[in-house]
Amino acid sequence: MLGFLRRTLGRRTVRRHTEKDKQREAQRSGTHIPAAGDSRSIITCRVSLLDGSDVSVDLPKKAKGQELFEQIMYHLDIIEKDYFGLRFMDSAQVAHWLDITKSIKKQVKIGPPYCLHLRVKFYSSEPNNLHEELTRYLFVLQLKQDILSGKLECPSDTSVQLSAYAVQAEMGDCDPSDHGPDLVSEFRFVPNQGEEMEFAIFEKWKECRGQTPSQAEINYLNKAKWLEMYGVDMHKVKGRDGNEYSLGLTPTGVLVFEGETKIGLFFWPKIIKLEFKKSKLTLVVVEDDEQGKEQEHTFVFRLDHPKACKHLWKCAVEHHAFFRLRGPVQKNSNQLPFVRMGSRFRYSGRTEYQTTKTNKPRRQVSFERRPSRRYSRRSTQHRANPFNKNLEPSLLFNTASQKLASQTVTMRPMIPVVTALPSEPVPIEIENLPRSPGLNQSEKRRHNVWMQYTTAPLC
């Protein structure tokens, strides 16, 4: 009898604690989407969005990834949803894309709450094919994160131009009487952002006068698409020789890097077999010899973990299907030369061809652009602008009456200051960035030689 009471009371206590934890999690997130049913029949998923906000979604315990994905797309009012995906980390710290055809609990082992991140899964090879202004805005947010984190390398002059477009999209036209380079220092665009770069961004920002947020974002995407590593999904592997390589998945094929050097490209039509077994990935590529006959070449790569190998294989299958096919491969097809080995996994979404041909832009789309995270301003009272020496001193330095205003964040009244917790738009105090000393002449020559080497044609 005592054992029965102990078990019963223990279960009730655990249930109450679980309900309280879910309530706290829902309160911490910016938006909560409840589900019908009691706490024993639902699971809570917390999704971090590209603008820094969070959404907490309650779903049935046996819900598949499709239900969560559709809830997020409906919440954000996204029509071109095939470019996006939900990403999570497993216990081995391997990133995975949520499979919409499988149960959430069987894929995401860490939770509840099950934490996922909304990300751009397929970078459009031509951003002008994106019909929706909301889609382009989300692409810009993703690219800004990629550049700031160092995932997407960007030359200095391109970084300045992209940053100017980003400021124009958020702040509007530059007013030299109200705005200065110190305002640019409130934003973060690149990992090592210096004061000289902020002056250059300010000068470029003035040239963007007249551009609406939508126009500035289109210009941002048209500039970013020419970056060498734009849209490249990189994966670390090891070759037969034991050396480390990187495989980059692109719309045209699979790039091979040795360190920072591009040493090969396998076009999708030339790959006749792609399979994996445990931690080994095998690529079979055909090439024409001097006599015009096709010869097969086999490349074997190894990864640190079997889950990482399978993840790479699945990403390659999805890239091939999305960018190269007019429609996804049917499951009942008897001929599956590209995905027939190693797994029953199939890409189930629409292809880029279907997305661009079937989606039509809506007449009216209303959405709110969330302000970027702000940091404390960099002091510029005692430093001249090296990029525009002809400016009036009154525009370069704050007067005595402006010094008090420089200690606070100067911005438009409609744009609040947000912190790491987007639900509470309050200023934060973060130490100033160190001043960048700039590159000397020898370093600039080495940088230019390196850029010419890394942009050389493929082998």
Side-chain angles (χ1 to χ4, degrees), residues 6-18:
R6 195 177 295 113
R7 289 193 300 271
T8 304
L9 294 176
R11 290 169 184 168
R12 290 178 179 176
T13 303
V14 171
R15 195 177 304 136
R16 284 197 299 268
H17 283 296
T18 303

Side-chain angles (χ1 to χ4, degrees), residues 50 119 123 139-166 188-193 197 201 219-221 223-232:
L50 286 167
R119 294 289 182 266
Y123 291 78
F139 263 67
V140 171
L141 293 181
Q142 181 67 77
L143 289 170
K144 287 168 64 177
Q145 291 183 18
D146 293 343
I147 295 175
L148 180 59
S149 64
K151 176 184 175 182
L152 178 60
E153 295 184 359
C154 189
S156 178
D157 55 343
T158 306
S159 299
V160 169
Q161 186 65 66
L162 292 176
S163 303
Y165 288 140
R188 294 294 179 268
F189 302 108
V190 295
N192 299 318
Q193 180 174 314
M197 180 181 181
I201 294 173
N219 292 333
Y220 188 103
L221 294 175
K223 185 75 173 179
K225 72 179 182 181
W226 296 109
L227 292 174
E228 184 180 10
M229 301 301 292
Y230 167 80
V232 180

Side-chain angles (χ1 to χ4, degrees), residues 164-184:
Y165 288 140
V167 177
Q168 176 69 21
E170 182 165 343
M171 300 294 298
D173 292 339
C174 176
D175 186 356
S177 61
D178 294 335
H179 304 146
D182 54 342
L183 176 61
V184 180

Side-chain angles (χ1 to χ4, degrees), residues 252-430:
T252 56
V254 181
L255 286 168
V256 184
F257 292 86
E258 185 175 8
E260 300 291 338
T261 306
K262 193 187 306 179
I263 61 175
L265 171 60
F266 304 137
F267 292 100
W268 291 122
K270 296 294 184 180
I271 301 176
I272 62 173
K273 184 183 292 186
L274 175 63
E275 61 182 8
F276 75 96
K277 185 177 181 181
K278 295 184 179 180
S279 298
K280 183 174 70 174
L281 182 76
T282 303
L283 273 167
V284 180
V285 184
V286 294
E287 291 183 356
D288 295 335
D289 57 12
E290 297 178 355
Q291 288 76 25
K293 297 180 180 180
E294 289 187 345
Q295 288 187 347
E296 293 186 0
H297 301 275
T298 302
F299 299 89
V300 179
F301 301 98
R302 293 187 178 275
L303 287 88
D304 295 333
H305 198 278
K307 289 185 178 181
C309 185
K310 185 175 182 179
H311 171 65
L312 170 56
W313 178 84
K314 291 174 69 174
C315 290
V317 170
E318 291 179 321
H319 270 73
H320 172 264
F322 183 81
F323 290 108
R324 294 293 302 173
L325 305 182
R326 293 203 168 191
V329 177
Q330 300 298 324
K331 292 185 178 181
N332 57 357
S333 177
N334 294 325
Q335 295 180 353
L336 300 174
F338 190 80
V339 296
R340 63 184 173 86
M341 300 291 291
S343 174
R344 292 179 298 174
F345 172 77
R346 305 287 183 271
Y347 175 67
S348 57
R350 293 187 302 175
T351 64
E352 186 180 38
Y353 176 83
Q354 293 175 315
T355 301
T356 56
K357 296 298 181 183
T358 58
N359 286 338
K360 295 181 180 180
R362 292 172 284 185
R363 292 184 178 180
Q364 292 182 354
V365 181
S366 60
F367 67 94
E368 182 181 358
R369 289 175 170 84
R370 192 177 184 88
S372 302
R373 182 181 177 183
R374 297 291 186 85
Y375 298 81
S376 59
R377 284 195 176 191
R378 189 196 304 274
S379 177
T380 58
Q381 280 86 350
H382 303 289
R383 187 176 180 89
N385 185 347
F387 293 94
N388 195 345
K389 298 180 180 179
N390 297 324
L391 288 178
E392 294 294 331
S394 59
L395 299 181
L396 291 176
F397 306 105
N398 293 328
T399 61
S401 61
Q402 293 173 329
K403 288 184 179 180
L404 180 60
S406 66
Q407 298 175 1
T408 61
V409 178
T410 303
M411 64 184 74
R412 299 188 175 186
M414 296 297 294
I415 301 180
V417 178
V418 297
T419 65
L421 293 177
S423 61
E424 298 180 4
V426 295
I428 60 174
E429 293 293 336
I430 295 182

Side-chain angles (χ1 to χ4, degrees), residues 128 130-134 136-137 140 165 168-170 210-222 367 369:
N128 291 319
L130 301 175
H131 302 305
E132 293 278 321
E133 181 180 348
L134 173 59
R136 295 192 292 269
Y137 166 67
V140 171
Y165 288 140
Q168 176 69 21
E170 182 165 343
Q211 296 182 15
T212 64
S214 178
Q215 292 172 342
E217 288 163 0
I218 292 175
N219 292 333
Y220 188 103
L221 294 175
N222 286 329
F367 67 94
R369 289 175 170 84

